[in-house]
Amino acid sequence: MELWILFGSFTVLLLIGMPVAFCLGISSLSTVLYMGLPPVIVFQQINSGMNAFSMMAIPFFIFAGDLMIRGGIAERLINFAASMVGHVRGGLGQVNVVTCTLFGGISGSAVADASAVGGIMIPQMKARGYDADYAVNVTANAAIIALLIPPSHNMIIYSLSAGGNLSIADLFTAGIVPGLMLCGALMIAAYVVAVRRGYPAGVFPGMPTVLRTLAIATPGILLIGIIFGGIRSGWFTATESSCIALIYSLLVAAFVYRELGWRDFLEATQGAVRTTAMVLLVIGAAGAFGWLMAFLQVPQTTVAAMKTVSDDPYTVLLMINAILLVLGTFMDMAPMIIICTPIFLPVVTAFGVDPIHFGVILILNAGIGLNTPPVGSVQFVACAVGKISIGESMKTIWPFYGASVAVLLLVTYVPAFSLWLPSVFK
Amino acid sequence: MQALAQSLARFLAPISRISLWIAASGLIVMTVMVAWQVFARKVLNDSPSWTEPGALLLMSWFILLGGAVGVRDGEHMGFEIGLHYAPAPLRFAMKLTTHVLIVLFGLYMTVYGWQLTEKTWGAKMAGISIPQGMDYLPLVVGGVLIALFAFENLVNQLARGADTVVNAPGAPASAAVE
């Protein structure tokens, strides 16, 4: 009965349009009241859910990403990518994918990627005769790479949802190879579509130009090294490195590129509060919900239920992938990670799947969900930038879905893609 | 109802603006604290014990004040398709239920947050010399603000009646974390 109240009220509240943070809090509170436990537990758990030092990395990274966009760091990365791959057939599509990867290496946000890279690339592509749907679909799908390449604050959300014991450095490292695989797969898809549609090839600007754009983009690229090197070597914690990334991008934007004014800074600060306080509140409220799930032995029950269905880890992973893909079509990324992790992680670990590996699977799944209607925030942003409807984008998005799902299956069934690189650093 | 809505807005708009700025300043001070922690450890070879609990305390204020402002501005992540496709009277009922429940939740948060604050006020936090109860104070203030802002939403909804248009499902402000 307690479980029915917990999950039933959560589902009903979610369906009537209640914000996720309050769905979690109110369903936990009702369950505790029903069980006759002291209600104070709920608020104690919410409070401790908000008290993890690694959570702070989330506003810092988001804030830093916004400063990089406003301060011209994103634009210079695009110029560098354009000089490298712009001459390939359908070159701007290739530029788009490479830039999303580079920019993902500093922002970690797929929506920021889609709006920053898309905002510059999509109009350019349209002006040079590429179809809008192609420009939009390349951007939207390539933006997902940002979620896998460090620093990915979604990996931090996953680590927190898993109880905070998973190494963020390992999670960051585990995402690199799958991120590059997705980059490669999307470049191939973009190339094939470009050849079919007869898009032109650009002209190679020559090595001097490549080197010059590289030099100008260096501060941005250096940041990738600082963040990753700092965390991996154990010099800084993830939170400290996010703070350094924030101060570094502030300094570069304000004093090196001189594109960031006081007004931009204030707007970025407000934006960071508005975007991240909501997510952190969901994480906090999930503290109470997760405590109840553990108290009511939900993970054990789910594991037992899954074992009656199948004994084979591959079948279970396939099922979980299917469930996650469906959930991803209508759930936002952060709530999905926060709610699904405590339910599915015990299941997959019971079947011998490494938690780090599962993190990559979960995030890639949720990432693909950002490009699927009805709730696909990345697709939504890219379509808005490209001025086409979601329906128009859906007609020709399939080669890109194909590439993403192929990478998802490879990542799911070959654990080494995720686990090899972290093992190298151990 | 219209008059009540207007006077509530006059009273709550500045409170919401101030809360947002406190949260934003909190974010900047958090940044400075963590930066100082790194500098002190790496350069001065002396790890300060107060930066981590201090920054965590600020983060609680940041989350709850920012979260409360998000209630007023309707920026929280949720599942809006149901609202979008529901017929107007049902949608009205869904909205009212949501607002009423959030008011109640905010009040619960205030009462029990206060209980926790009182109980732990005597003890000192680890690493920083302030009462442990300070850690729960954001729940109290956040709870009050959440209840107030949700009440304002409720009044606005009642004043507007059943035929309000809900935004199409799209990207809320918080989508940027994705």
Side-chain angles (χ1 to χ4, degrees), chain B residues 99-117:
Chain B
H99 298 322
V100 169
L101 286 175
I102 296 181
V103 171
L104 285 176
F105 186 75
L107 293 177
Y108 263 98
M109 190 150 143
T110 311
V111 170
Y112 289 101
W114 182 249
Q115 233 183 51
L116 287 165
T117 311

Side-chain angles (χ1 to χ4, degrees), chain A residues 293-313:
Chain A
M293 283 206 290
F295 187 78
L296 298 171
Q297 304 197 314
V298 174
Q300 291 88 325
T301 319
T302 327
V303 172
M306 281 293 205
K307 286 212 162 145
T308 61
V309 180
S310 170
D311 268 334
D312 175 36

Side-chain angles (χ1 to χ4, degrees), chain B residues 2-152:
Chain B
Q2 294 282 2
L4 177 60
Q6 277 172 10
S7 47
L8 265 177
R10 254 201 310 280
F11 170 58
L12 291 177
I15 293 185
S16 139
R17 231 184 354 262
I18 293 167
S19 308
L20 184 62
W21 282 116
I22 296 177
S25 324
L27 177 60
I28 293 172
V29 179
M30 265 154 65
T31 313
V32 175
M33 279 183 170
V34 177
W36 173 253
Q37 174 175 313
V38 176
F39 181 78
R41 193 178 70 229
K42 294 289 170 198
V43 182
L44 309 178
N45 251 327
D46 168 39
S47 294
S49 64
W50 56 272
T51 47
E52 198 167 313
L56 279 173
L57 188 60
L58 281 174
M59 187 164 69
S60 298
W61 283 103
F62 166 84
I63 298 172
L64 284 160
L65 292 179
V69 172
V71 169
R72 183 169 199 265
D73 298 346
E75 280 175 343
H76 279 277
M77 278 173 293
F79 180 71
E80 292 185 351
I81 307 164
L83 283 172
H84 188 65
Y85 290 109
L90 178 61
R91 186 164 53 202
F92 187 57
M94 286 157 81
K95 280 271 181 195
L96 291 186
T97 316
T98 301
H99 298 322
V100 169
L101 286 175
I102 296 181
V103 171
L104 285 176
F105 186 75
L107 293 177
Y108 263 98
M109 190 150 143
T110 311
V111 170
Y112 289 101
W114 182 249
Q115 233 183 51
L116 287 165
T117 311
E118 265 189 325
K119 261 194 211 151
T120 53
W121 196 261
K124 289 268 180 282
M125 268 188 206
I128 183 167
S129 182
I130 51 175
Q132 209 162 49
M134 284 294 278
D135 197 27
Y136 295 106
L137 215 51
L139 286 177
V140 181
V141 178
V144 171
L145 290 176
I146 287 171
L148 276 173
F149 291 147
F151 179 68
E152 187 191 12

Side-chain angles (χ1 to χ4, degrees), chain A residues 198-224:
Chain A
Y199 291 143
V203 182
F204 185 60
M207 249 354 241
T209 312
V210 175
L211 291 176
R212 190 174 51 80
T213 53
L214 171 63
I216 298 172
T218 297
I221 295 170
L222 219 57
L223 185 56
I224 305 176

